[in-house]
Amino acid sequence: MTERLVNQNIYDEITQDFRYWEDASDEYRQLEGSLLPLWRFSCDKSRSLVVSALSWNPARQDLFAASYTPERMLVTPRGVMSVQFHPSHESMLVAGHSDGTVTVYDARNASPGQLSSSTTSGKHLLPVMQVRWITTEPGENMSFYSVSQDGRVSQWFVRTTSLKYEDVLNFNTAQQTKDHVASSNKIDLEGTATCIALSPERKDVLLFGVDTGALFQVCTSDTAHAITRYRAHLSPVTAVAWNNVHTKVFASCALDWTVKIWLQYHLSALMTLDLGGPVMELDWSPSSSTLVVAVTDEGRVFVYDLFFRKYHPLCVQNLLQRRRSSLTCVAFNPSQPIVLVGGEKYV
C-alpha cells in the first residue's frame, strides 16, 4: 500500500492524464476514435514467454495478474494457460496449467499459499484451457470451473487443505457413447471445450466454446443437463463472454476471423463482425452494453461501439510492429477507461 501511494505521488500527472485525455485529431474523423498507449509491463523472467491470460483485481483496480506459458522449450516448469482473480475475495487467484493441474493461490502472504490438484485428486490429463470462479453466497465454499483438452469440464470446491472436484461434462465420454444412444432430439457434445463463460444472471447456466466451432449452453441445475447448441463458427472458438449489462446477450470469437453477437436461445447470430484475421479473445465493457473489444493474432486491437456503428469499428490500433508477433488476450478495467492487452513477451 505504501509503495502504491508513493508511486501515485511521484507519477501523479501520468496516472491522472488518461482520465481526461482527448485526441485533437478526433475533430477530423467522424465516429472514429483511437487508443492511447499508456504503459508496457515486462520482466526479465518473461522475455521468452507468451502472455496467456489477464485478470484485473476486483477490489484494487490498479492491480492485475498476468500468466505466461512457455512457447519453445524442451525442459521447463509447467506453463500457466489461464488465470483469474476471485470476484469478491481479492487475494484469491486460480490458475490452470499446461500439465493439467489447477492451483488456487492466496496472495496475502509474502510466500503465497496454494492448493493444487494431483493425480489422485482429479488432475486433468491435458492442458487446462480456462478457469473461471463461481460467484458464491457468504458462508459458501469457494468454487470454480475448469475446461481442459482432455474433454473434461470440472467444478472444483476449495477446502481448507485440498481441492475436491466433480465432473460436470465429459466431451470424450459423450463422443464415445453417442452411437449407442438412439434419440432424434439428443444433442451430441462433439469436439473439446476450449473456453467457458458463466451467465451473470444465473450461475447454473454455462456457455462453452468448442474446437469444432460450436457453442453449447448448459444448465447444470437440471438433472439432465439441458443443452442448447449454437452453430457458431467454422473453426475453433477462442473466447465467449456474456454482456455485463444486457445479461441475455453474449459474444463469441474464433480463428475464422469473426466476432459474433448472440441473444440467448436464438440459434442465429444477431450480427457477425469480420476482423480480417484470427481473433484470439474479446471482452465486453463493464459499464456499456454496446462496447466490445477484441484482439487478433496479427497484433491489432478492435474497439466496436454497436450503438454508433454495427459493422465498422470505432477504433483499430496496431500494437505490434514486429512480424510474427501476436496478441493473445484482452481485459477491460472494472471501472476505468483502460484496456489491458497481452501478447508475446509483454503486457
Side-chain angles (χ1 to χ4, degrees):
M1 178 61 73
T2 301
E3 181 182 2
R4 180 180 284 106
L5 292 175
V6 171
N7 284 332
Q8 285 181 350
N9 289 332
I10 295 175
Y11 303 108
D12 180 69
E13 183 177 349
I14 297 175
T15 57
Q16 298 298 329
D17 269 356
F18 77 90
R19 299 172 186 262
Y20 312 106
W21 173 72
E22 291 188 8
D23 190 346
S25 64
D26 287 345
E27 296 181 7
Y28 306 97
R29 296 177 298 190
Q30 293 185 350
L31 295 179
E32 287 191 19
S34 57
L35 294 178
L36 171 66
L38 291 176
W39 303 283
R40 177 179 294 190
F41 303 91
S42 64
C43 64
D44 293 338
K45 291 184 179 180
S46 65
R47 289 190 183 279
S48 61
L49 305 179
V50 178
V51 180
S52 58
L54 299 167
S55 178
W56 287 98
N57 189 290
R60 304 188 183 278
Q61 294 168 358
D62 58 348
L63 183 68
F64 65 89
S67 63
Y68 297 81
T69 181
E71 183 182 17
R72 297 183 187 90
M73 292 187 181
L74 297 176
V75 179
T76 178
R78 59 194 183 196
V80 183
M81 306 297 292
S82 179
V83 66
Q84 189 188 31
F85 273 110
H86 193 281
S88 56
H89 299 274
E90 62 183 80
S91 66
M92 303 302 292
L93 194 67
V94 63
H97 298 276
S98 57
D99 68 344
T101 303
V102 293
T103 304
V104 174
Y105 298 93
D106 186 345
R108 284 177 293 187
N109 302 319
S111 56
Q114 64 183 64
L115 296 173
S116 295
S117 60
S118 65
T119 52
T120 59
S121 63
K123 173 182 171 293
H124 289 284
L125 301 178
L126 292 174
V128 177
M129 300 306 296
Q130 201 163 46
V131 287
R132 284 292 178 263
W133 286 107
I134 302 169
T135 302
T136 51
E137 299 297 330
E140 285 187 285
N141 287 325
M142 287 184 287
S143 180
F144 62 92
Y145 288 108
S146 64
V147 294
S148 169
Q149 289 182 354
D150 64 6
R152 286 172 46 202
V153 178
S154 302
Q155 182 176 359
W156 299 83
F157 302 92
V158 181
R159 309 299 187 192
T160 304
T161 59
S162 64
L163 296 176
K164 302 296 182 182
Y165 81 100
E166 177 182 310
D167 285 342
V168 178
L169 292 172
N170 192 320
F171 281 74
N172 288 340
T173 300
Q175 191 77 340
Q176 293 166 6
T177 59
K178 68 177 183 179
D179 295 332
H180 303 285
V181 180
S183 175
S184 59
N185 58 1
K186 178 177 174 56
I187 299 176
D188 296 320
L189 296 175
E190 80 274 7
T192 300
T194 56
C195 51
I196 183 175
L198 282 66
S199 168
E201 195 172 51
R202 291 180 52 184
K203 63 182 180 181
D204 61 337
V205 174
L206 313 177
L207 273 175
F208 300 101
V210 184
D211 60 359
T212 62
L215 293 174
F216 289 101
Q217 178 183 292
V218 179
C219 181
T220 58
S221 62
D222 190 328
T223 55
H225 284 355
I227 298 174
T228 303
R229 183 182 188 276
Y230 303 86
R231 296 181 182 273
H233 296 275
L234 301 176
S235 61
V237 180
T238 52
V240 60
W242 292 91
N243 191 297
N244 297 297
V245 180
H246 288 297
T247 55
K248 294 188 182 300
V249 173
F250 60 90
S252 64
C253 63
L255 300 181
D256 63 1
W257 299 15
T258 64
V259 170
K260 294 193 177 185
I261 312 298
W262 304 83
L263 182 62
Q264 190 178 22
Y265 300 116
H266 287 243
L267 302 185
S268 297
L270 295 178
M271 63 182 66
T272 300
L273 309 175
D274 188 341
L275 274 58
V279 189
M280 306 308 295
E281 194 172 37
L282 58 81
D283 195 21
W284 288 99
S285 166
S287 57
S288 172
S289 63
T290 60
L291 197 62
V292 62
V293 63
V295 294
T296 67
D297 183 66
E298 299 173 332
R300 290 184 293 176
V301 182
F302 290 77
V303 180
Y304 284 88
D305 191 327
L306 305 178
F307 177 77
F308 289 108
R309 269 195 306 245
K310 292 183 178 179
Y311 297 104
H312 188 71
L314 189 67
C315 170
V316 180
Q317 184 82 28
N318 289 309
L319 294 187
L320 302 179
Q321 302 300 324
R322 294 193 314 116
R323 285 187 170 185
R324 299 181 181 178
S325 296
S326 64
L327 299 178
T328 55
C329 43
V330 62
F332 265 105
N333 184 276
S335 63
Q336 303 292 346
I338 297 176
V339 176
L340 195 62
V341 178
E344 293 187 25
K345 301 185 180 180
Y346 72 91
V347 177

